[in-house]
């Protein structure tokens, strides 16, 4: 017992000596870390005062000392300080350079959290310089790293950043999908500000796509987060004021002007310590009063006051928006002033090379004074913006929409298991028993075949009857009613020629849509073109239909009845989408692998309930079952639809 006791004593004594030695070493090194700390603090103070060159000078002193000590943590902090100083100085290249230096350190340390932070900071820098794709890819890489370590809150916050970029570019379909995914990670947590931001994004894009009720529901959810003083503190008054601004814009769309004005005046109180946001709200208030009353001196005064402030602060975007509203204000009372303001707004947009702003200015200018030159430019710019938006959608879809590889693996594994079990069974069955079983199977299969054949005939007849009934209903409810209404108008009044032509055009389009649903489908070499034309026919300014992972060669060797069934089912899904879902984005993928045709349809519409799906999708399910395929779907109200189809070929 004595030996362990003595040993323990010496170990304890040695431990005390080690601590004493470390403390002695700390005391000797105190002056150098203090020098780093002093320069770090001085650099921070100078940076906050806007003295960026001086801040960089002191930060570099701190960095040199940290490098001498080989103190990795201090080196990283110094790099971060230099990044902040160069960012505020608007020296973006140097800011990127120091971010990369930090990334090199944290990646060697395998510090995933800091790696995600660097991707976030890069995304923010790219956003500041309008480099959209790089901004989106860095925010998305940050999200993926957070998910890798199970940090769903970090992932949700990055999705908010992605959604805001997409919203700013008018990529509403992709924005809605991103924001909805972000809510899956954040709803139910205490991240009230980020949750509110996602609701705000969804409200804004719903308003932009003319889904005013949905927009109102989302902004009410954001405002409901502000339940008490602790929630106000968590979200902050600036963000709450933005919620109220958006609520006011929605109420303005609903022509509830007094309620809109109430929310804007409430927002002004939230912004009493933030002049910029107060002036932006004042700008919205001026426009709301104008929409309610037409030209008035109150709106004129508020807009002029906001404009002078934005001008003094060099806020180019706000200056542009104010000029647009001033042009609208004077449109009916002073065409000269209106033209002056819209030309100034157009020049501001052109100087900054902001295509979307140029487009908005031209739209108002044409309303004030139409001319062919501006109209041609307006149309060309609209097409260019649409192409860029589609390009952005394709880019982000590569991150967002992927095939369910695990599902396909499961199907292949099930098929392999069935084959293996069948072989094992054949090897272990005796010849006589096999002979008897085969005879029994032949008889049984004959009866089953006859039964399945009858069932398929019934299902096909049902499908035909359903289709005929639907077409009959369309002819009666849409074409016949519209024709009768037009005839009545012609008998009782003398309508204008343009009104008659518009009505006839509507009836023609209805007839063409019905014709599309019953016309024959070319299943030979032109089938790929037929399918492409189908998708193109549902494309519009409000609906973007995208086809990805699709090779026209996959249709070789596939039978005609499968091609027709696939065509009709996709037509059914697209028709339902157009009539009921209010979707802004549809993505369809078609692949062939191991004698299986995999089709995936995704939209960002309002979705549907289980009960609705059983009634509305029965026709599509019958068609797929008739070719021995499988159709599954995943949907929730207001959260889009996802259909997966696989067919043996």
């Amino acid at each position: 017992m004595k030996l362990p006791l003595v040993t323990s004593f010496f170990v304890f004594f040695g431990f005390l000596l080690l601590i004493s030695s470390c403390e002695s070493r700390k005391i000797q090194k105190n002056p150098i870390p203090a020098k780093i700390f002093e320069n770090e603090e001085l650099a921070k103070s100078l940076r906050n005062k806007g003295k960026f060159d001086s801040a960089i000078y002191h930060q570099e002193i701190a960095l040199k000392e940290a490098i001498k000590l080989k103190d990795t943590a201090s080196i990283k902090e110094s790099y971060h300080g230099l990044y902040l100083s160069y960012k505020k100085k608007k020296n973006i290249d140097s800011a990127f350079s120091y971010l990369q230096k930090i990334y090199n350190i944290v990646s060697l340390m395998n510090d995933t959290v800091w790696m995600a932070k660097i991707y976030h900071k890069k995304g923010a820098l790219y956003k500041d310089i309008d480099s959209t794709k790089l901004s989106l890819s860095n925010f998305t890489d940050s999200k993926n790293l957070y998910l890798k370590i199970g940090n769903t809150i970090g992932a949700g916050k990055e999705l908010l950043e992605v959604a805001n970029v997409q919203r700013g570019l008018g990529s509403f379909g992709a924005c809605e999908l991103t924001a909805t995914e972000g809510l899956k990670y954040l709803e139910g947590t205490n991240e009230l500000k980020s949750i509110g931001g996602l609701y705000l994004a969804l409200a804004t894009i719903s308003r932009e796509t003319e889904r005013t009720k949905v927009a109102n529901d989302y902004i009410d959810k954001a405002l409901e987060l502000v339940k008490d003083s602790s929630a106000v503190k968590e979200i902050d008054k600036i963000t709450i004021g933005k919620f109220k601004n958006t609520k006011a814009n929605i109420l303005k769309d609903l022509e509830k002007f007094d309620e809109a004005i109430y929310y804007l005046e409430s927002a002004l109180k939230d912004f009493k310590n933030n002049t910029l946001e107060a002036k932006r709200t004042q700008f919205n208030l001026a426009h709301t009063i104008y929409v309610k009353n037409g030209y008035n001196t109150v709106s004129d005064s508020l807009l002029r006051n906001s404009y002078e402030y934005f001008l003094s602060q060099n806020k180019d975007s706000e200056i542009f928006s104010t000029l647009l509203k001033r042009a609208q204000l004077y449109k009916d009372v002073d065409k000269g002033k209106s033209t002056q303001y819209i030309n100034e707004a157009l020049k501001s947009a052109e100087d900054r090379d902001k295509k979307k702003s140029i487009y908005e200015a031209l739209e108002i200018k044409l309303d004030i004074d139409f001319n062919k030159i501006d109209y041609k430019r307006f149309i060309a710019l609209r097409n260019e913006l649409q192409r860029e938006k589609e390009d952005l959608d394709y880019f982000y879809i590569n991150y967002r929409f992927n095939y369910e590889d695990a599902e396909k693996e499961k199907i292949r594994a099930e098929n392999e298991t069935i084959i293996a079990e069948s072989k094992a069974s054949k090897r272990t069955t005796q010849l006589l028993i096999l002979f008897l079983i085969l005879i029994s199977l032949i008889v049984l299969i004959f009866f089953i075949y006859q039964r399945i054949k009858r069932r398929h005939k019934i299902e096909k007849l049902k499908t035909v009857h359903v289709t005929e009934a639907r077409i009959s209903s369309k002819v009666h409810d849409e074409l016949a009613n519209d024709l009768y209404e037009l005839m009545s108008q012609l008998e009782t009044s003398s309508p204008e020629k343009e009104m008659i032509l518009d009505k006839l055009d509507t009836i023609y389009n209805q007839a063409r849509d019905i014709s599309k649903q019953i016309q024959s489908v070319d299943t030979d070499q032109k089938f790929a073109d037929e399918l492409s034309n189908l998708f193109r026919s549902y494309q519009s300014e409000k609906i973007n239909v995208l086809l990805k992972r699709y090779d026209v060669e996959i249709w070789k060797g596939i039978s005609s009845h499968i091609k027709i069934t696939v065509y009709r089912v996709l037509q059914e899904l697209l028709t339902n989408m157009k009539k009921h879902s209010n979707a802004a984005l549809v993505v369809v993928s078609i692949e062939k692998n191991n004698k299986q045709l995999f089709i995936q349809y995704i939209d960002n519409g309002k979705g549907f309930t289980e009960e609705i799906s059983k009634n509305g999708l029965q026709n599509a399910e019958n068609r797929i079952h008739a070719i021995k395929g499988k159709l599954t779907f995943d949907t929730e109200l207001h959260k889009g639809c996802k259909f997966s189809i696989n067919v043996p070929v």
Side-chain angles (χ1 to χ4, degrees), residues 151-164:
N151 186 342
T152 52
I153 288 176
K157 288 181 176 180
E158 294 308 311
L159 285 166
L160 173 58
E161 297 290 350
V162 172
N164 284 334

Side-chain angles (χ1 to χ4, degrees), residues 39 156 198 212 237 313 362 368 404 458 488 527 561 609 641:
N39 280 283
L198 290 165
T212 313
K237 291 210 168 191
Q313 300 297 311
L362 285 172
I368 295 168
E404 302 279 348
I458 292 168
S488 298
F527 178 73
H561 74 285
T609 63
C641 298

